[in-house]
Amino acid sequence: MNKDYKISIINILSLIIIMFLLYSFSLYFEEKIVLKVDSSNKEKIEKCLANYTENVDFIEKVAAGHGWNSGHVYLYNYFGGVEELIVSDGDSKIGELDSYIRENGYSLDAVATRNIIILIIGLCCLIIIKINIKNQKLLKRNQ
């Protein structure tokens, strides 16, 4: 395979990794704790949301805001829709759901940190490979 072709593929992969890095950094600004709805927690979530939303069966994940978004609960359905509920003092069910999400969910900050570390390692590997290819190219030229 041509060395210039390899370098262009590495450049394209590097650009893709940089785009994913930007996306991962944007996750820090989401300020949410997310909980995937599955068979183990579906009943609990349905019970908490019985009076607040119509289509509880279509909820894919729920999120509790923290930081600037504290006091908000987000409901994500399978069709890409997002419904936002505000936790108030008198709402014991939504407050209970908010607490449940915080105890059992995962922070998007942790996901972003993990992604950034993996992507930076991948980018460093691509840079090392690219440097090695260029050095081999220079050695052949000098021979």
Side-chain angles (χ1 to χ4, degrees), residues 49-124:
L49 294 174
N51 298 331
Y52 298 98
T53 186
E54 297 164 4
N55 296 325
V56 179
D57 295 331
F58 297 122
I59 294 176
E60 176 183 27
K61 61 185 174 180
V62 292
H66 66 89
W68 291 102
N69 294 326
S70 191
H72 296 259
V73 172
Y74 302 91
L75 311 174
Y76 297 90
N77 64 32
Y78 290 113
F79 309 113
V82 180
E83 187 177 343
E84 180 180 356
L85 303 174
I86 297 175
V87 180
S88 61
D89 291 335
D91 261 341
S92 63
K93 291 291 185 183
I94 297 298
E96 184 180 328
L97 179 62
D98 184 61
S99 299
Y100 183 75
I101 294 169
R102 290 181 191 286
E103 291 170 8
N104 299 305
Y106 58 90
S107 173
L108 288 182
D109 293 349
V111 172
T113 303
R114 184 199 65 212
N115 288 352
I116 289 169
I117 290 170
I118 292 170
L119 291 169
I120 287 176
I121 290 171
L123 189 61
C124 289

